[in-house]
Amino acid sequence: MACPTQFICKALRSVGLVLFYYVFSIGITFYNKWLMKDFHFPLFMTLVHLVIIFCFSTLTRFAMQCWMGKPRVTLPWKVYLSKVAPTALATALDIGLSNWSFLFITISLYTMTKSSAVLFILFFSLVFKLEEPNPFLILVVLLITSGLFMFTLKSTQFNLEGFIMVLLASFIGGIRWTLTQVLMQKAELGLQNPIDTMYHLQPLMFLGLFPLFLLNEGLSVSTTEKLFRVSELSHLLYSLLTLSVGGMLAFGLGFSEFLLVSRTSSLTLSIAGIFKEVCTLLLAVEFMGDKMSTVNWLGFAVCLSGISLHIGLKTYYNKGKTHSDYALQKHSHFKLLF
């Protein structure tokens, strides 16, 4: 009886961790889209999220240090600026553009376009020699590209500006996750734990995104009645509360992904990510009024088959590898992690 009981407990734990991850991953997508309907300052929102994530990661590091009795890694300034800065800048632009696009496009188009990030991750992984070339990758590229084309074909809710923003974010995301994998696999840096990685990335991400915020939203934010020119204190508190909830969801997403990978595997996270995309589209159609034709759904299925093939290939070729390469494998569902 012990073996079946252990199997059931393990299965229930895995399901619970996946559902925990879904709450934050799907929740933050819909929450940010909802917030952008009335609060048209996505870059400012992202900056607030970065501050909140840094605070939570600092508290988590302190709790881990007290629990384990060992000091957490803190990089010296020279190493910090030379090794972490490129990853932080790419991450900031990826997240900033992704949130910005919510002003223009639907959740379904965002989800589908963002899934194309695997193409750019594959490209940069080959450039940095993190991925071994094989002929099946051509099929992966063809499936995802054709699926994206079918999804956007004759779409009644297509917006070119938002689409370009997400596509550019996906391109930068390819650089981001390739650099993140390199960063986390450098044992001498000691950033294998994602909490430590988040802690070190946030300040540089803030500094990297702040000039873009000043250029595009600085004047508007300083004069908006939702923040600095409020007529009632309750309006300001409401704005700060809604922004803070998004930041907590963003941190929860990173923490739930870390829990899922550490207690199960990166393959579980990848497979869960595929079903998450399906759930996101179904919810967007049902509750957000997104419209999808039969061709759009077929394109989505073709794209997911390409992503599934990529996951299967990585599982087959990387059987002997450890969890340290999980950052590259969670290609399509790290939209709003940091």
Side-chain angles (χ1 to χ4, degrees), residues 43 87-99 114 165 168-169 172-173 205 208-209 212:
L43 298 180
T87 305
L89 180 60
T91 304
L93 291 175
D94 179 14
I95 302 304
L97 288 171
S98 296
N99 287 338
K114 197 65 173 169
M165 280 186 180
L168 182 58
I172 297 174
M205 286 176 61
L209 194 61
L212 187 61

Side-chain angles (χ1 to χ4, degrees), residues 41 55 174 230 268 295:
F41 307 108
C55 293
V230 292
T268 302
V295 175

Side-chain angles (χ1 to χ4, degrees), residues 61 73-75 80 84 191 196-203:
R61 276 166 52 95
V73 61
T74 301
L75 297 179
Y80 180 55
V84 180
L191 296 181
D196 293 324
T197 306
M198 284 193 285
Y199 170 81
H200 283 85
L201 281 175
Q202 306 314 302

